Amino acid sequence: MRKSYQLSRKAQGQSLVGFLVATIFVLVPAFIGVSYLAKAGELRHKTYEAARYSAWEKVAWPGGGSGHSKSDQQLAWESRYRVMGKPDHVFNSRTDHQAPGSADQAKLDPMLYSAYLKKPGYNTVAKGANTSSTGAAVTSSTLKADLGGILGSGGMRLVVQGLDLDTTGYRKAAVAMPLEDPDQDWIPASNLSMKHHYVLLDNAWNAASPVQAKSRVKNIVPTDLLDNGVIRTGLNLVGFLFPEIRSDNLEFGKVDVEVAPCQRLSTYSGSTTPSACR
């Protein structure tokens, strides 16, 4: 009886060891896999954002006879800083289109780093995203268009002509971000890549300059009709009792085309801090 009891305890111990070993071989790879997939998912989202950003920039900076343009390589660097970069990265139009000037500037969003890659250490999920490479490949092009289909119908044609939309083509931006291979001992996958493209109607209401954007928006905003001296005088009279509706607070027809989060324009210190962040 005693011997049988000892054998039973031994069998239970072996079963427990086997269960623990099996758990390690299942849960550890699962944990690593979920972590890697989360990082890859975040990079996929960044790819979408980079494509939208690049398409817009090619509309706003078309090149040619307009006197200003951005190359695909410049957009790749800007995508790295402004889309993939640290959340507190301050926009700098003079340097964001160039290779980083410091290791700190080269840092990406912390979510885009992983310790479970083929290379040892804590590295970027985006392949080659170091101080000499963007980690993103941007390819832009122009697609020809015409006023066929819905745009060519009677009502829509009047709208297109009334807003003076440029229908000569679409701007397309394609962004590819290859991934670093994960540790093959845990995740047998390789040569993965995130790709996305985005298309905008070239120089449509997506105006090619701040002045053009303001004039086009004001033309389609009915409240612009209230932006006159009579209305402003009335608001100021009533504003004696209700300051929030004075003409300097309630601005009918106002169009601000340069709105951006204040932390993207300046750090939270010193005299350079925008008033909106004080």
Side-chain angles (χ1 to χ4, degrees), residues 100-114:
S102 67
D104 183 69
Q105 185 184 7
K107 291 180 179 178
L108 305 182
D109 188 318
M111 186 64 181
L112 298 181
Y113 291 85
S114 175

Side-chain angles (χ1 to χ4, degrees), residues 107-159:
K107 291 180 179 178
L108 305 182
D109 188 318
M111 186 64 181
L112 298 181
Y113 291 85
S114 175
Y116 305 115
L117 300 178
K118 192 173 182 180
K119 299 188 298 182
Y122 203 57
N123 299 292
T124 60
V125 178
K127 191 172 185 177
N130 50 48
T131 55
S132 61
S133 178
T134 62
V138 177
T139 305
S140 63
S141 59
T142 301
L143 307 177
K144 297 300 181 182
D146 55 38
L147 281 180
I150 297 177
L151 288 179
S153 62
M156 283 302 299
R157 179 180 287 272
L158 292 177
V159 171

Side-chain angles (χ1 to χ4, degrees), residues 38 41 86 97 104 112 115 122 127 154 157 190 211 217 225 233 274 277:
K86 296 184 296 182
H97 61 277
D104 183 69
L112 298 181
Y122 203 57
K127 191 172 185 177
R157 179 180 287 272
S190 60
V211 173
V217 173
L225 300 174
T233 300
C277 294

Side-chain angles (χ1 to χ4, degrees), residues 81-82 85-96 105 261-268 272 274:
Y81 298 132
R82 301 179 176 184
K86 296 184 296 182
D88 60 350
H89 171 73
V90 178
F91 284 10
N92 189 326
S93 297
R94 294 183 178 180
T95 61
D96 281 354
Q105 185 184 7
C262 55
Q263 66 271 24
R264 289 293 193 172
L265 302 176
S266 176
T267 55
Y268 289 120
T272 59

